[in-house]
């Protein structure tokens, strides 16, 4: 007989009842081949004694095994493992030695974070400077919590949850269309829009719907890395054009367009990622003409539209005429908190229909409570008030960080004060290699987790996105002091 | 001069300040070509008079236009639209007539819902019978709300939000691995798992990571439609094998495997979707052998493991030996509420690494609050208690619905009482065509939005998933009465 007392060790502290633990363990032993097909089990009394459990517990376990057809009762002989069961070996999620699963699709991935920072465990004493996220201390978490507690909303939402999701809660699509018409001069209705998990999912879905392998896609250089990766993974050929103080170079775009057919252009017109440059009005208009002449799609990623300090933002390209060629993408996440993943995708009906289908395959439905909460925030004006409040605070922080950088870090960095948004693009002078700066900063308790860019000879070489919006005055001062110290 | 008083109509009830409304409207008029490049604007005093607004408002608007470079100041002559601006036409997201955007990738999509039901607006009087969702009345929305309000959790979470997301909150990955080890006899740690938005996203990500166009994939017939669509959209060739009372037909699978190389097999071993059949222990073991012999990947979608009424569920295939060939997928959404989109994907390290990268491209990060809340529920045992409570209630509902169906609907349907899960698979007799049943039911206030299956000659032809878990006794009785009435 097998030493069951050593093989089965029920643990009374576990959540699961003892009989279930015994059942599962016996199944594992059968699956492993430790208990061979045809083996007789000890009688229930003997097994209970061996395992030091109640006999009833063993009976329950055996009954379970019987009903699951692992064992059978043989009259006058007791229970045995069904002889016909094929034998198998111990479980493992680890591939066997020298075994590498063949994963053909090669997903390209660039880490935005330096290995030095990535390896480091973060403690509460560290100052973390992100890529440009909103300040979670301002986030309307109280309002979110109240939607869950309010019996009237809660009842309505529970009814909505029972229904199928066609690209987001209808109420939110409607509220969003009104919000965008007022703030961005769009002219859309709820049927022109779908809600996504942040702008990220909108970029992904639009790319997967529009692109087929071999299509040419133009992006800026540098570009939002995750957008480039999405296009690459969709099988597109990436063609890059440089970006300067007025946005992407439209002359060069024109030359590219004359040379080959381009399916899609991806741009970030406001506070370009990573450089924070805003595209000039003149270039925008020329861009619109080029789209029309060359019949290409434009993906306008306007994730940062709502945060502008010096003047109002320039209306999106999507607010002008484009015959359904612009896919407009935006983010509520950037307005609220990184964990509240809500964005939107606006496109011509044919594209939107496919986008809804793809979204359903990726992510069956949204978070109905969160979508309802946001719709209420828009309708009641809370979102606008929240934006205004954040804008004022971020503008102060933008002034302060630029002042600190000028006073204490001019020897090491160049930067242009951004017109809005949540981060400054720091270009470190050649002498200060960005990877060394990140590693030195990490050792001093400053974790710079924003995007970096390194490409020899490029004007943006050695650049780092320094997100200021979520930092207190003290943290900003401390962060700049550390940077100043390590670049001495 | 243009009739500005008719072209610009500031609305004092709007959220946005009047000067912004005027600015945006003027930009639109320039973009539309109504105001041509080089046109002079009326002086600020005159414009203020025309629009019946304060002169300061007009000055602000003009300054905005200046800073955005739409207009320029000409000494002694006033403001004019910059002459070099190219003229463009009115905005629209509607493609121009006879213009169809070329969307090359043909996404296949099958509606799960009949057109008769889809067209119908749902009212609060209707009884909605879904595909098999949990009862939202049991959902721990109070606990979710408390995580947002609790200052200690909230502070911790806010710190976590600042960090990058590597496939889900570490705490939740750890709690989930413990939960799965205890309930499913897996033997995994937090590094074997990523958190996704429900099982749906896990299926999508695994398929995109594993498959390349032209790969052969085997699925059951019928199958969970959205899984088949995901594989199809990944470019796979779909080969189907029938499913009977013991799950998929393993003999036929063996024949298929001998004929051609198969990359992936997708199965739902517990309460197969849509038929609710549970795969027998013997077939499971043969399946494991076939995977090993033919070196194929198995995607085990075990979304419904936790709801079992007659006996404990059979341990997943993934709990046996498989050398990294099984991708195990599960759902917390099914345990909690359709809006709480949390699932998981467990796979060998090579696959998981790529899955994390792809997840980041699709959906930058999860909902940190929700993930934290769920981790706490698992750690404190609340999730197990919630499952036990739901299990008891659903088991009663399962008994009741099966009893009702036997008593009142035997003339019209055949069904096998499921061993667990949240729905019954009703096979309507030939005489009662499913589309007619759905349409008649909808007219009588009964909306059947579960999956249907129609394939002439198939044993599952004319089938409907009838989700009972979310229905009260009265609703179940009423629903069966309506079905009985319309099939008289």
């Amino acid at each position: 007989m097998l030493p069951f007392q050593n093989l089965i060790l029920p643990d009374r502290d576990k959540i699961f009842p003892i009989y279930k633990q015994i059942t599962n363990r016996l199944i594992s032993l059968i699956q492993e081949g430790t208990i061979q097909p045809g083996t007789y089990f000890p009688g229930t009394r003997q097994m209970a004694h061996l395992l030091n459990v109640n006999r009833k517990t063993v009976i329950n376990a055996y009954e379970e095994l019987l009903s699951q057809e692992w064992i059978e009762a043989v009259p006058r002989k007791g229970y045995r493992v069904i002889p016909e069961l094929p034998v198998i070996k111990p479980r493992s999620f680890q591939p066997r030695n020298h075994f590498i699963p063949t994963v053909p699709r090669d997903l390209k991935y660039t880490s935005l974070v330096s290995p030095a920072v990535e390896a480091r465990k973060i403690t509460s004493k560290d100052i973390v400077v992100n890529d440009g996220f909103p300040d979670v201390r301002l986030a309307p978490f109280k309002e979110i919590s109240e939607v869950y507690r309010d019996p009237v909303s809660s009842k309505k939402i529970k009814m909505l949850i029972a229904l199928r999701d066609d690209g987001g809660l209808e109420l939110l699509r409607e509220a969003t269309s009104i919000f965008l018409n007022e703030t961005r001069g769009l002219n859309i209705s709820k049927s022109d829009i779908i809600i996504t998990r942040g702008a990220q999912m909108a970029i992904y879905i639009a790319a997967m719907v529009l692109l087929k392998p071999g299509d040419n896609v133009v992006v800026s250089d540098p570009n939002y890395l995750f957008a480039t990766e999405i296009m690459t993974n969709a099988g597109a050929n990436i063609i890059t054009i440089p970006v300067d103080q007025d946005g992407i170079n439209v002359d060069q775009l024109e030359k590219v367009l004359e040379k080959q057919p381009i399916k899609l252009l991806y741009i970030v017109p406001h506070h370009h990622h990573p450089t924070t440059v805003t595209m000039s009005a003149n270039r925008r208009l020329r861009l619109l003409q080029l789209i029309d002449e060359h019949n290409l799609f434009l993906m306008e990623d306007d994730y940062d539209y709502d945060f502008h300090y010096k003047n109002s933002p320039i209306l999106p390209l999507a607010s002008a005429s484009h015959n359904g060629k612009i896919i407009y993408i935006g983010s509520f996440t950037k307005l609220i908190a990184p964990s509240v993943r809500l964005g939107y995708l606006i496109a011509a009906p044919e594209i939107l229909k496919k986008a809804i289908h793809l979204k359903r395959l990726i992510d069956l439905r949204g978070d109905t409570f969160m979508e309802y909460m946001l719709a209420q925030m828009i309708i009641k004006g809370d979102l606008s008030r929240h934006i205004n409040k954040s804008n004022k605070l971020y503008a102060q922080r933008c002034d302060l960080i630029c002042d600190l950088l000028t006073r204490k870090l001019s020897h090491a960095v160049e930067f242009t004060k951004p017109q809005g948004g949540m981060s400054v693009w720091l270009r470190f002078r050649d002498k200060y290699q960005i990877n060394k700066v990140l590693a030195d900063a990490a050792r001093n308790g400053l974790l710079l987790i924003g995007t970096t860019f390194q490409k020899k000879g490029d004007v943006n070489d050695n650049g780092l996105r320094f997100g200021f919006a979520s930092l207190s005055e003290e943290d900003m001062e401390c962060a700049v002091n550390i940077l100043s110290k390590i670049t001495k």
Side-chain angles (χ1 to χ4, degrees), chain A:
Chain A
M1 197 181 68
L2 286 165
F4 285 104
Q5 64 278 33
N6 303 328
L7 291 170
I8 305 174
L9 302 162
D11 181 349
R12 280 174 178 77
D13 294 336
K14 280 199 180 172
I15 300 170
F16 295 89
I18 302 291
Y19 92 90
K20 257 199 187 171
Q21 294 183 37
I22 296 173
T23 311
N24 286 354
R25 185 68 186 125
L26 284 169
I27 292 172
S28 295
L29 292 168
I30 296 170
Q31 285 186 329
E32 284 173 26
T34 310
I35 307 180
Q36 292 288 318
T39 307
Y40 277 90
F41 277 8
T44 52
R45 201 179 303 269
Q46 190 185 1
M47 188 66 129
H49 180 71
L50 284 169
L51 303 183
N52 191 22
V53 299
N54 193 297
R55 188 180 163 208
K56 182 77 189 119
T57 305
V58 175
I59 292 171
N60 284 341
Y62 283 12
E63 272 174 8
E64 190 64 47
L65 291 169
L66 269 175
S67 75
Q68 288 191 23
E69 300 169 39
W70 291 101
I71 60 173
E72 58 187 8
V74 180
R76 280 184 306 277
K77 298 194 75 176
Y79 298 103
R80 67 169 177 189
V81 179
I82 292 182
E84 296 78 33
L85 288 177
V87 181
I88 42 168
K89 280 157 279 127
R91 74 186 81 136
S92 168
F93 268 101
Q94 304 307 316
R96 112 185 76 188
N97 280 346
H98 315 296
F99 170 89
I100 293 149
T102 48
V103 181
R105 188 173 293 221
D106 191 24
L107 291 168
K108 201 177 153 280
Y109 168 68
T110 322
S111 170
L112 296 184
V113 180
S114 98
V117 176
E118 214 162 331
R120 178 84 147 51
K121 264 269 176 210
I122 297 183
T123 73
S124 58
K125 272 193 229 151
D126 290 322
I127 297 173
V128 180
V129 179
N130 58 42
D131 198 59
F133 295 153
D135 190 337
V136 289
R137 287 165 295 201
L138 306 180
F141 292 132
K142 213 174 115 254
E143 286 78 358
I144 294 173
S145 147
E146 271 158 19
V147 172
Y148 278 104
R149 300 165 71 89
D150 174 43
V152 179
S153 309
S154 186
K155 203 178 157 199
K156 255 189 230 153
I157 294 165
K158 284 177 187 169
M159 192 181 146
L160 292 167
I161 287 178
L163 308 180
R164 164 177 109 104
D165 187 334
D166 281 317
L169 203 63
E170 195 174 336
L171 185 71
L172 179 57
R173 285 189 286 122
E174 186 152 21
T176 303
S177 67
I178 294 167
F179 173 73
L180 297 180
N181 289 346
E182 289 196 6
T183 53
R184 284 148 170 87
L186 297 184
N187 186 15
I188 56 163
S189 73
K190 63 183 174 190
S191 59
D192 298 313
I193 192 167
I194 67 166
I195 302 299
T196 56
R197 303 269 184 194
Q200 188 69 35
M201 187 181 276
I203 301 171
Y204 182 86
I205 288 178
M208 292 304 281
V209 165
L210 286 170
L211 299 175
K212 65 173 195 299
D215 279 342
N216 293 320
V217 172
V218 174
V219 303
S220 65
D221 182 25
N223 189 34
Y224 175 47
L225 279 176
F226 284 173
T228 309
E229 278 185 38
I230 284 173
M231 314 291 169
T232 307
N233 288 329
N237 302 320
I238 306 293
I239 299 164
T240 59
I241 48 171
V243 58
D244 60 32
Q245 283 307 329
D246 288 327
I248 55 161
N249 187 320
V250 183
D251 291 332
Q252 275 200 244
L253 174 64
E254 192 162 5
K255 277 182 207 144
V256 166
L257 289 174
E258 274 156 14
K259 253 191 275 176
Q260 64 244 288
I262 300 294
K263 169 59 74 55
L264 175 71
L265 167 66
Y266 168 84
I267 59 159
V268 186
H270 271 108
H271 322 143
H272 170 264
H273 196 287
T275 69
T276 79
V277 166
T278 293
M279 198 177 196
S280 68
N282 195 297
R283 284 209 183 159
R284 283 164 191 255
L285 291 176
R286 278 196 56 207
L287 201 52
L288 285 169
Q289 285 187 319
L290 288 175
I291 292 163
D292 195 42
E293 281 166 33
H294 294 271
N295 198 34
L296 72 154
F297 284 106
L298 173 73
M299 202 189 292
E300 183 176 18
D301 179 356
D302 210 7
Y303 75 100
D304 216 9
Y305 180 91
D306 299 281
F307 292 116
H308 246 262
Y309 311 138
K310 283 193 174 165
N311 47 267
S312 288
I314 301 178
L315 288 183
L317 288 152
S319 73
S321 160
H322 56 74
N323 298 312
K325 302 301 276 184
I326 299 185
I327 295 100
Y328 185 73
I329 287 169
S331 168
F332 288 118
T333 301
K334 286 280 178 179
L335 305 186
I336 300 174
S339 66
V340 178
R341 306 265 331 131
L342 287 165
Y344 45 86
L345 186 158
I346 294 158
E350 287 297 306
I351 298 170
L352 213 59
K353 200 174 145 199
K354 284 167 199 272
I356 290 173
H357 298 167
L358 181 58
K359 189 198 162 196
R360 208 175 287 159
L361 293 185
I362 295 176
D363 182 15
L364 221 44
R365 64 180 305 127
D367 181 337
T368 319
F369 274 90
M370 200 63 96
E371 294 188 6
Y372 188 89
M373 179 278 305
L374 178 59
Q376 294 296 337
M377 275 188 76
I378 295 173
I379 293 162
K380 292 178 183 162
D382 291 339
L383 185 68
S384 293
R385 278 187 288 276
H386 178 71
I387 293 172
N388 288 341
K389 190 174 133 193
S390 307
N391 240 323
K392 266 180 213 149
L393 186 65
Y394 297 167
Q396 284 168 17
R397 288 179 180 170
C398 185
D399 287 344
L400 180 65
I401 192 68
C402 290
D403 181 50
L404 283 168
L405 290 167
T406 306
R407 285 195 291 114
K408 302 191 175 183
L409 215 61
S410 287
H411 62 283
V413 303
E414 284 186 274
F415 70 94
T416 306
K417 188 171 178 176
Q419 292 179 22
M422 301 189 243
S423 56
V424 189
W425 180 238
L426 298 183
R427 281 165 289 131
F428 282 81
R429 294 178 207 280
D430 284 353
K431 204 177 139 183
Y432 308 98
Q433 272 308 301
I434 193 75
N435 278 339
K436 188 169 180 323
V437 171
L438 297 186
D440 290 347
R443 265 191 297 277
N444 283 275
L446 173 63
L447 298 185
L448 303 162
I449 63 172
T451 306
T452 61
F453 183 75
Q454 294 157 64
K455 189 179 164 192
K456 273 284 152 251
D458 191 289
V459 65
N460 286 301
D461 176 33
N462 229 16
L464 164 75
R465 269 175 78 92
F466 186 101
F468 57 80
S470 52
L471 296 177
S472 68
E473 289 191 17
E474 300 73 47
D475 283 352
M476 276 192 264
E477 192 135 6
C478 189
V480 174
N481 284 341
I482 292 171
L483 283 175
S484 173
K485 188 182 121 191
I486 63 173
T487 51
K488 268 289 169 311

